[in-house]
Amino acid sequence: MSLERYGLLKAIGDDLRRQYTALSLLVWFLLSAVGLVFVTHHTRLLTMQQAALVNEQYRLDSEWRNLILEEKSLSDPDRIEALAKEKLMMQPLELQQEKVVKRSL
C-alpha cells in the first residue's frame, strides 16, 4: 500500500469523474433503449400501413379489371344495334335513303 497523500479536492474530482462516467453511460444506455423502442414501433406502424396500401392496390386493380370488362360488354356493336332497334325503333338505311353532303370551300 502506498503512503501517497491525496488532497480533498483531488479525491472529490476523481470520485465525480468516475461517477459521471458511469452516470453518463447509464443515460446513454437508457436513451438508446428508448430510441430503439421508438424506431421499432414506428417501423411496425409503417409495415402495417404498407400492408393496407398493398391490399387497397389489389382491390383497385380488381375493380379496374371489372370496369374494363363492363365497358367492353356495354360497347359491343351488336348490343348497341339491338338497343337502337328495340328502344329507339331505328333501322338501317337503304341505299336510296342515303344522302351525301359535300363541303364546298
Side-chain angles (χ1 to χ4, degrees), residues 8-25:
L8 181 59
L9 291 177
K10 184 168 171 61
I12 291 173
D14 288 343
D15 284 345
L16 284 177
R17 257 193 308 275
R18 274 185 253 146
Q19 293 298 328
Y20 176 73
T21 302
L23 185 62
S24 67
L25 287 175

Side-chain angles (χ1 to χ4, degrees), residues 1-104:
M1 195 148 121
S2 121
L3 295 174
E4 187 177 332
R5 296 184 84 185
Y6 285 101
L8 181 59
L9 291 177
K10 184 168 171 61
I12 291 173
D14 288 343
D15 284 345
L16 284 177
R17 257 193 308 275
R18 274 185 253 146
Q19 293 298 328
Y20 176 73
T21 302
L23 185 62
S24 67
L25 287 175
L26 178 65
V27 168
W28 282 112
F29 174 75
L30 291 176
L31 286 176
S32 67
V34 169
L36 179 66
V37 168
F38 176 76
V39 167
T40 303
H41 176 68
H42 193 62
T43 302
R44 286 182 181 168
L45 288 177
L46 289 175
T47 303
M48 289 188 314
Q49 185 180 12
Q50 181 193 21
L53 289 173
V54 166
N55 286 338
E56 179 73 7
Q57 180 185 12
Y58 288 145
R59 187 187 68 76
L60 290 173
D61 281 344
S62 175
E63 185 178 344
W64 173 254
R65 278 185 254 117
N66 289 338
L67 288 172
I68 293 292
L69 288 173
E70 183 180 359
E71 179 187 21
K72 287 184 188 257
S73 69
L74 290 177
S75 64
D76 182 37
D78 293 334
R79 179 185 174 276
I80 293 173
E81 186 177 341
L83 284 174
K85 285 180 181 178
E86 180 183 312
K87 292 191 176 180
L88 301 176
M89 313 257 186
M90 295 177 83
Q91 296 185 11
L93 287 177
E94 304 279 330
L95 275 179
Q96 53 271 34
Q97 293 175 321
E98 286 185 21
K99 295 182 181 172
V100 178
V101 178
K102 292 185 181 180
R103 183 175 155 207
S104 62

